[in-house]
Structure formats: structure tokens, C-alpha cells
Amino acid sequence: MKKEILIVDDQPGIRLLLQEVFENSGYHVVTAKTGKEALDKIHSGTFDLMMLDYKLPIVDGVKVLQQLELEEINIPAIVMSGLVEELVKELANYPNVKEVVGKPFNINSICTIVNKLLGCES
């Protein structure tokens, strides 16, 4: 079975880039533009990893993490943001958050983190 990754970002370029990279690496990828759309997809499927933008329209990244915690849904998450230094302490309170990655990011670094978290290190 292919590992499932949910990519949540309101910027189409980032969603498409990550989708292409991870599909080419053999993962099944689902994308969402907003936090609300991400929660809807989480409720209708199962994911091995979520890449979540911190700043999202409608429902932001922290609210997504809070809702998952409230519902006891455990999906490892990589949070992406341009404000990494400020977020590391805030996001330390969320057990689902495994990494906080700065934007712009290095795609090779992201691949290494994803492969490590999904147990697919090459």
C-alpha cells in the first residue's frame, strides 16, 4: 500500500510542487487549499502524514491541529511557515507536529524529512 500524504497550502505553486515530488517518490498525495477542506478530507480518509501550512484561509493551521487533538486523530504533521522561529515554541504543545519547516524550503530537505517520518529512508 502506498503511504498517503495530505498537503494543505493555499498557494497553488507549493501544492503542485509538493504533489509532483511526492507522487514521483511513490506516495499517494491528496491536496487541500484551506484548513476546512483539510479537515473534511481527514474525516473521509486516512493519511500517514500531513504537510500543513500555518497560515490558511477559513481555518488556519493551528485550528486544524487543535481540532485533530480534540477528536483524538493522530496524523504526524509537518508545519510549513515563513515564521519558523516564532512557531517552534507554540507548536511544541501539539503532539502531532513532528517538524516545523521554513518557507521557502529546500525540496531535498523536505524529502528527507518526509521519508524519515514515513519510515521510507533510502
Side-chain angles (χ1 to χ4, degrees):
M1 264 317 263
K2 285 186 177 184
K3 299 272 186 174
E4 302 259 346
I5 300 174
L6 175 61
I7 296 171
V8 188
D9 201 303
D10 57 328
Q11 295 179 16
I14 291 176
R15 278 196 318 273
L16 290 170
L17 171 67
L18 292 172
Q19 181 176 15
E20 183 178 331
V21 166
F22 293 121
E23 284 179 347
N24 287 338
S25 295
Y27 297 109
H28 181 263
V29 177
V30 174
T31 63
K33 297 179 206 68
T34 67
K36 181 187 181 324
E37 187 181 345
L39 289 169
D40 291 344
K41 290 185 178 197
I42 288 166
H43 290 133
S44 64
T46 55
F47 297 95
D48 299 294
L49 181 69
M50 173 174 55
M51 298 191 67
L52 178 67
D53 189 16
Y54 180 75
K55 285 205 170 250
L56 291 167
I58 304 173
V59 177
D60 71 18
V62 170
K63 291 221 172 32
V64 170
L65 294 168
Q66 290 169 345
Q67 188 63 35
L68 294 179
E69 196 170 318
L70 190 68
E71 295 179 35
E72 297 181 358
I73 297 173
N74 186 19
I75 301 172
I78 297 171
V79 177
M80 304 176 288
S81 175
L83 313 163
V84 173
E85 297 79 23
E86 299 161 27
L87 295 182
V88 171
K89 284 183 185 169
E90 177 188 349
L91 295 174
N93 299 321
Y94 296 95
N96 284 357
V97 176
K98 304 304 180 196
E99 292 280 343
V100 179
V101 177
K103 284 181 173 179
F105 48 77
N106 176 305
I107 198 68
N108 292 327
S109 297
I110 292 281
C111 289
T112 300
I113 293 166
V114 167
N115 290 335
K116 180 179 167 205
L117 289 173
L118 292 176
C120 301
E121 295 179 84
S122 44

